[in-house]
Amino acid sequence: MTSAPLETDDELLLRIRSGDEGAFLTLYRRRQAALFRFALHMSGSAPAAEDVTQEVFLALLRADCGYDSSRGTLSGYLFGIARKLVLRQLDRGRADVALDLEAEDSAPPQLSVIDDPLLDLTHREGIEALRRAVAALPRRYREVVVLCDLEEVDYADAAVALACPIGTVRSRLHRARGLLLDKLNQERNPRQALGALKPVRCLL
């Protein structure tokens, strides 16, 4: 006996539009963790990430949310909303940790390890080194690494989320990976740190 195929995000959204609470819960469970991790890596604050995640799904419930399936997937659209909300928090100065760590002397935030899939890939020290390196990237590079490498979002969806061409996503990701390697090489345990980066760099 074969099981029924999983409903697509768009099919779930149609059911949500008709008032189906079960469809909303299904979509929430499917996308919540990745959106939370994205907001967490971008903000360095679990409370801020929780607020962003909640607001993303509240926005989706509005009839005028603006999603257009012809322009990209619902997943990419949701990441785009999350990104705008994180940037809005930055503009308002509401995030617990400054989001833009452009200066070299800025101390990167200690990010939570909630639901972090990288924990099983290498030793904790290597993971912490990678986390610090990601957190210290300039925002435009940090967001593309989190989307494409940590959350495995494809380039097309990342382009929708970041509101830029796919070519820009590729070039930013290339530059971001180079910056990550430079930062990891400066760590006390560069071998362990680079070991943590290996699976990330394989996601091409």
Side-chain angles (χ1 to χ4, degrees):
M1 181 177 178
T2 59
S3 59
L6 292 176
E7 290 180 281
T8 66
D9 288 354
D10 285 354
E11 289 170 340
L12 289 172
L13 183 58
L14 286 176
R15 288 174 52 198
I16 292 170
R17 292 280 184 259
S18 65
D20 190 327
E21 293 183 7
F24 177 80
L25 288 175
T26 299
L27 184 63
Y28 180 84
R29 290 169 183 154
R30 182 182 295 177
R31 299 299 176 188
Q32 175 268 341
L35 290 167
F36 175 83
R37 287 191 300 265
F38 170 75
L40 178 62
H41 281 291
M42 292 303 298
S43 69
S45 166
E50 291 171 359
D51 288 344
V52 166
T53 304
Q54 180 177 349
E55 289 185 50
V56 167
F57 285 97
L58 288 175
L60 187 64
L61 290 175
R62 291 195 290 268
D64 60 345
C65 72
Y67 170 61
D68 181 356
S69 60
S70 69
R71 299 176 61 185
T73 66
L74 183 60
S75 175
Y77 176 76
L78 294 177
F79 276 116
I81 295 178
R83 175 180 179 259
K84 290 177 182 177
L85 291 171
V86 170
L87 294 181
R88 187 178 301 168
Q89 285 196 352
L90 171 62
D91 292 339
R92 293 177 180 175
R94 289 167 49 196
D96 294 337
V97 179
L99 300 185
D100 212 356
L101 302 174
E102 303 281 351
E104 286 297 325
D105 58 352
S106 297
Q110 296 301 310
L111 301 183
S112 167
V113 295
I114 298 175
D115 292 328
D116 193 334
L118 292 175
L119 283 178
D120 295 329
L121 299 179
T122 190
H123 299 294
R124 186 176 182 84
E125 290 182 8
I127 294 300
E128 290 301 323
L130 177 58
R131 185 174 289 109
R132 288 192 298 270
V134 171
L137 289 173
R139 177 185 55 77
R140 67 181 179 276
Y141 298 128
R142 184 165 70 254
E143 60 191 12
V144 74
V145 164
V146 173
L147 282 174
C148 295
D149 284 343
L150 302 188
E151 295 305 325
E152 301 184 54
V153 173
D154 64 32
Y155 292 155
D157 281 355
V160 171
L162 301 177
C164 67
I166 290 179
T168 301
V169 171
R170 292 178 183 275
S171 62
R172 286 183 186 174
L173 191 57
H174 177 76
R175 174 61 175 155
R177 287 168 174 165
L179 291 173
L180 271 179
L181 283 176
D182 289 343
K183 291 179 183 298
L184 289 172
N185 280 323
Q186 297 171 12
E187 290 284 339
R188 288 184 177 180
N189 299 305
R191 290 184 180 179
Q192 288 182 331
L194 287 172
L197 185 61
K198 285 181 181 178
V200 174
R201 290 181 61 81
C202 289
L203 299 175
L204 300 176

